[in-house]
Amino acid sequence: MLNFTDVHNRKDTRSVKWDILQDVFQSNDVLPMWVADMDFQTPQPVIDALVKRSKHGIFGYTILDNDVKDSIANWLKRRHNWSIQTDWLAFSPGVVASLHMAVQAFTEPSDKILIQTPVYTPFYNVIKKHNREVVKSPLKYSDNTYQIDFEDFEKKLKNGVKAFVLCSPHNPVGRVWQRDELKKMADLCVAYDVLIISDEIHGDLTFPGNKHIPIATLSEEINQQTITFMSPSKTFNLAGLQASYIVMADEKKRATLTEQLESQGHHMLNTMGNIALETAYNHGDDWLDELRNILQEHRDYVVAMFDQHAKQLKVIQSEGTYLLWIDCSALGLDDKSLKKFMIEQARVGMNAGIEYGEEGSQFMRMNIACPKATLEEGVNRIINAVK
């Protein structure tokens, strides 16, 4: 029996989400619905495998053998119809670490790197920390969804962009890009010789009826032009175990990035992350299928409740991830006041949209990967504050 209803106490577990509320929100009296991890336990087979390994009691250096690599290849084929060779794989503690490595390996200071805003905050940080130039191609917001501005996208690529960091599915706006959208972006990158760095960490978390397509699967030419970052961490709530991988078909790119990873000691997984990744990919299908249904129910609940009781809040049409992007502009508050309102009046801790770029002004990002009781509490707090 899969259990997504129990409320687990995460306080005093050194949880980023639950244990630093005072630092983040200047209040401990908020319900945390912000940072992207889940309040669900990971699949039981993963827990059992970790317990069994811990009982061995010796935690020496751990290899990444063919069983681990095969579990990834089988997962990608089974869930995403992507046939990879296991020698295309490299490993790192996390996708953000991999982004840092890729920016250093494939670009030079002052090089231009394109992102589609509003977008995951570390994209900005990774580019700026290495003295590269952020080039923004804002997504177009209309009719309660977001579209790609292809005219602007191509204009920016023409202007000397070296790399494009794709967020697919997109965090925070919840778009699961369609094949034709991906193909058009990829073809332009090939035409202008722009490296595609694709963050696909949310790829498993699409709502039923939506299909994630790894951009590297579109053609062999695009495959050679692309570096894909993936991980079971969002899918199975394993972020603290620090296990991610990179898929690179092009041998030269693979050698370049592998050398960068090794030069900074980021090319191995820890013992527990290694086991969790393999076990989740081998035994997590049923759990994930149920999770996707739960998340869809949660999304629909939030949409219905706000539509009925707080029409000033508009949930953007979401096709994937467990993060809802909420247009709060009808409240008439500036960004500072909006954040203060949610903390002090609603007593719910969410991510302020402005953190994702100026295009996120007057938005909030809500994490719905929690038991229904927690979700209901958070939604009702917000509705009561709006009223």
Side-chain angles (χ1 to χ4, degrees):
M1 183 67 180
L2 305 178
N3 190 343
F4 292 96
T5 59
D6 284 356
V7 177
H8 300 278
N9 183 8
R10 296 186 61 193
K11 292 181 179 179
D12 300 320
T13 63
R14 295 178 178 156
S15 164
V16 169
K17 187 176 185 180
W18 287 84
D19 284 334
I20 57 171
L21 298 178
Q22 184 66 45
D23 293 337
V24 176
F25 300 105
Q26 294 73 56
S27 172
N28 284 312
D29 186 28
V30 295
L31 186 67
M33 304 183 78
W34 62 297
V35 70
D37 71 12
M38 297 191 275
D39 292 328
F40 301 129
Q41 287 188 332
T42 196
Q44 192 61 45
V46 176
I47 297 171
D48 293 343
L50 292 173
V51 169
K52 179 181 178 181
R53 181 64 183 84
S54 67
K55 286 182 176 179
H56 184 262
I58 300 174
F59 307 102
Y61 295 112
T62 305
I63 61 171
L64 284 157
D65 60 14
N66 289 332
D67 288 342
V68 177
K69 295 174 183 177
D70 287 343
S71 73
I72 295 170
N74 292 336
W75 179 264
L76 294 179
K77 179 62 178 176
R78 191 166 69 248
R79 304 295 300 201
H80 302 294
N81 196 31
W82 187 9
S83 298
I84 71 161
Q85 298 175 25
T86 54
D87 63 0
W88 293 358
L89 294 170
F91 296 84
S92 88
V95 165
V96 173
S98 298
L99 283 168
H100 278 284
M101 297 299 108
V103 165
Q104 293 177 82
F106 297 109
T107 67
E108 299 294 334
S110 300
D111 278 351
K112 298 177 179 179
I113 300 178
L114 180 71
I115 56 176
Q116 293 171 303
T117 54
V119 75
Y120 183 49
T121 308
F123 283 15
Y124 297 92
N125 301 337
V126 165
I127 296 168
K128 292 176 180 178
K129 279 186 180 293
H130 302 292
N131 300 312
R132 275 61 168 174
E133 179 182 342
V134 173
V135 177
K136 300 195 298 182
S137 181
L139 299 172
K140 295 189 292 186
Y141 173 43
S142 64
D143 297 327
N144 206 39
T145 189
Y146 284 82
Q147 304 293 338
I148 297 162
D149 185 340
F150 282 106
E151 183 178 345
D152 181 74
F153 186 82
E154 182 172 11
K155 178 183 176 182
K156 300 291 172 57
L157 293 188
K158 280 182 180 178
N159 198 29
V161 165
K162 188 69 174 291
F164 163 45
V165 184
L166 171 65
C167 197
S168 178
H170 194 282
N171 171 15
V173 308
R175 276 301 316 275
V176 175
W177 304 117
Q178 300 294 309
R179 181 177 296 274
D180 61 332
E181 294 173 308
L182 292 167
K183 185 69 161 56
K184 194 168 183 178
M185 286 191 289
D187 285 344
L188 287 169
C189 287
V190 170
Y192 294 105
D193 193 25
V194 173
L195 176 68
I196 302 169
I197 300 172
S198 189
D199 174 357
E200 302 188 16
I201 196 169
H202 293 278
D204 297 319
L205 296 169
T206 57
F207 293 119
N210 296 279
K211 179 69 175 173
H212 171 67
I213 302 170
I215 195 169
T217 64
L218 297 178
S219 76
E220 183 54 34
E221 189 174 27
I222 294 167
N223 191 23
Q224 297 292 322
Q225 191 80 2
T226 302
I227 300 170
T228 304
F229 300 145
M230 305 182 95
S231 171
S233 61
K234 296 290 184 246
T235 309
F236 297 105
N237 208 25
L238 302 171
L241 294 181
Q242 298 187 313
S244 80
Y245 56 93
I246 308 157
V247 187
M248 300 170 282
D250 182 83
E251 186 175 356
K252 185 177 180 181
K253 291 184 181 69
R254 191 163 65 248
T256 299
L257 186 53
T258 299
E259 182 179 351
Q260 183 70 35
L261 289 163
E262 291 178 350
S263 72
Q264 299 194 35
H266 284 309
H267 61 292
M268 297 173 66
L269 300 186
N270 69 72
T271 302
M272 294 307 194
N274 196 339
I275 289 169
L277 183 155
E278 178 186 7
T279 308
Y281 278 171
N282 285 339
H283 303 287
D285 290 82
D286 291 344
W287 186 93
L288 175 57
D289 291 339
E290 180 63 18
L291 172 69
R292 293 173 69 220
N293 290 328
I294 294 291
L295 294 177
Q296 182 180 46
E297 292 173 7
H298 285 194
R299 177 200 63 182
D300 294 347
Y301 168 79
V302 178
V303 171
M305 288 293 287
F306 286 169
D307 186 56
Q308 184 175 353
H309 301 289
K311 291 186 182 296
Q312 301 94 322
L313 306 179
K314 183 187 296 183
V315 180
I316 302 309
Q317 180 181 335
S318 182
E319 300 160 345
T321 82
Y322 50 74
L323 306 162
L324 297 187
W325 190 235
I326 304 170
D327 185 346
C328 305
S329 58
L331 292 176
L333 301 173
D334 61 31
D335 291 300
K336 185 177 180 180
S337 299
L338 176 60
K339 182 176 181 180
K340 185 177 180 180
F341 170 79
M342 290 298 179
I343 295 170
E344 296 183 1
Q345 303 301 317
R347 294 181 297 114
V348 176
M350 294 186 286
N351 295 98
I354 194 67
E355 296 172 2
Y356 303 88
E358 60 185 355
E359 298 82 5
S361 179
Q362 296 185 303
F363 283 80
M364 298 296 289
R365 192 188 78 165
M366 173 190 277
N367 181 342
I368 60 170
C370 56
K372 185 66 175 294
T374 304
L375 183 69
E376 289 175 348
E377 174 66 23
V379 167
N380 283 310
R381 285 188 185 191
I382 294 168
I383 289 171
N384 290 333
V386 170
K387 285 183 175 180

